[in-house]
């Protein structure tokens, strides 16, 4: 179980940190594998009845869109400054924060909840930090980050050297890979003073900025490091 523990540690500090093994397996088997293999939409009778009563949800979703969804590959549009305080954008932001906390991911972009707008959020709670071994915290440059939301963010690289760590994404649920990221960046956005940061926070920002341009970590990863985070459990 050393490997499992190691992987759990990994996933804990990923961008989409807390994978529940059984949950991830369930969704993989029932939603991914089966429907893909048979090449037809597999829907349970229960889902069928649910759709009859309640129409399909519309964005902003309270779930995270998965790779294959065109919204994740689109170039997100800038938010109209006049609309930032309006109810529609506020609803998008509130939903992003809610989804980010529910899935315990430490960063999220609006396209991931089906909204192709340039908004990103990040938060690294103290509790999550405390659950991570000190050595890992230091190696990865983990630190507590209070909730920050950037609308129409602009990023500037402050240190062009890169560092490689395993990261994950809630839109590629159950997977992880090693990705190089710049050490230090500066980000600014509408109504946010510019923020210079490094370590894990800089990694989150770069990952979320990529989402706004339709780029996923799999486009930047060392492809041989790509793993299904539950692979050991398949051998049990
Ligand atoms: Zn992501």
């Amino acid at each position: 179980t050393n490997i499992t523990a190691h992987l759990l540690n990994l996933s804990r500090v990923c961008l989409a940190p807390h994978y529940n093994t059984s949950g991830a397996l369930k969704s993989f088997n029932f939603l991914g594998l089966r429907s893909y293999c048979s090449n037809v939409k597999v829907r349970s009778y229960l889902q069928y009845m649910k759709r009859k009563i309640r129409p399909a949800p519309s964005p902003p979703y309270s779930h995270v869109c998965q790779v294959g969804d065109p919204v994740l590959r689109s170039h997100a549009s800038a938010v109209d400054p006049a609309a930032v305080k309006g109810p529609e954008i506020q609803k998008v932001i509130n939903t992003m924060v809610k989804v980010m906390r529910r899935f315990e991911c430490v960063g999220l972009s609006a396209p991931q909840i089906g909204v192709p707008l340039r908004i990103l959020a990040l938060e690294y709670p103290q509790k999550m930090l405390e659950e991570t071994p000190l050595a890992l915290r230091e190696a990865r440059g983990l630190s507590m980050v209070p909730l920050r939301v950037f609308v129409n963010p602009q990023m500037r690289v402050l240190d062009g050297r890169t560092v490689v760590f395993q990261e994950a994404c809630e839109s590629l649920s159950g997977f992880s890979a090693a990705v190089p990221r710049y050490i230090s960046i500066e980000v600014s956005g509408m109504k946010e003073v510019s923020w210079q940061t490094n370590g894990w926070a800089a990694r989150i920002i770069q990952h979320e900025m990529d989402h706004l341009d339709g780029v996923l970590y799999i486009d930047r990863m060392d492809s041989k490091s790509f793993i299904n985070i539950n692979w050991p459990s398949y051998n049990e």
Side-chain angles (χ1 to χ4, degrees):
T1 55
N2 260 347
I3 283 169
T4 315
H6 175 63
L7 284 173
L8 282 178
N9 262 339
L10 269 186
S11 59
R12 228 152 240 273
V13 291
C14 284
L15 297 171
H18 292 245
Y19 284 101
N20 165 323
T21 309
S22 61
L25 273 179
K26 215 187 292 163
S27 65
F28 183 67
N29 282 335
F30 294 132
L31 296 173
L33 197 63
R34 277 194 191 168
S35 57
Y36 181 73
C37 288
S38 58
N39 213 10
V40 287
K41 260 190 188 170
V42 178
R43 275 197 175 154
S44 71
Y45 180 68
L46 212 68
Q47 273 174 310
Y48 171 75
M49 285 309 288
K50 196 172 121 192
R51 283 290 158 266
K52 285 221 133 194
I53 299 160
R54 215 166 46 166
S58 60
Y61 295 129
S62 50
H63 62 262
V64 178
C65 298
Q66 293 301 299
V67 61
D69 191 323
V71 73
L72 294 172
R73 289 306 195 175
S74 69
H75 186 91
S77 307
V79 177
D80 175 1
V84 177
K85 291 261 175 201
E88 277 182 20
I89 299 299
Q90 286 304 309
K91 188 182 174 190
V92 172
I93 291 172
N94 290 340
T95 310
M96 281 173 71
V97 173
K98 223 186 298 174
V99 170
M100 182 168 70
R101 287 176 177 165
R102 182 152 74 91
F103 286 86
E104 295 185 298
C105 37
V106 293
L108 199 71
S109 62
Q112 289 180 281
I113 57 165
V115 179
L117 288 176
R118 305 189 78 79
I119 309 173
L120 64 83
L122 75 156
E123 181 180 45
Y124 205 105
Q126 184 67 34
K127 188 175 153 274
M128 223 183 259
L129 192 68
E130 283 164 6
E131 287 168 357
T132 309
L134 199 63
L136 263 181
R137 282 190 225 173
E138 280 169 8
R140 290 172 183 232
L142 297 174
S143 58
M144 210 263 282
V145 179
L147 176 67
R148 280 176 189 265
V149 177
F150 290 91
V151 178
N152 298 343
Q154 302 273 344
M155 191 185 81
R156 199 160 66 90
V157 177
L158 297 178
D159 189 332
R161 287 174 298 167
T162 57
V163 56
V164 178
F165 275 120
Q166 202 77 8
E167 69 178 57
C169 176
E170 204 56 52
S171 291
L172 288 110
S173 183
F175 297 95
S176 169
V179 183
R181 298 288 185 190
Y182 297 116
I183 290 177
S184 170
I185 57 107
E186 180 183 71
V187 63
S188 56
M190 219 185 280
K191 297 183 174 37
E192 269 279 337
V193 286
S194 72
W195 182 42
Q196 296 192 349
T197 188
N198 50 32
W200 210 252
R203 177 169 291 268
I204 300 169
I205 294 287
Q206 290 167 73
H207 178 114
E208 304 309 335
M209 286 296 293
D210 272 352
H211 273 301
L212 304 184
D213 296 329
V215 174
L216 300 172
Y217 79 78
I218 48 174
D219 305 333
R220 301 193 186 276
M221 69 180 177
D222 165 7
S223 55
K224 285 193 175 163
S225 69
F226 185 63
I227 59 162
N228 179 323
I229 61 162
N230 295 309
W231 72 263
S233 68
Y234 283 78
N235 300 335
E236 274 164 16

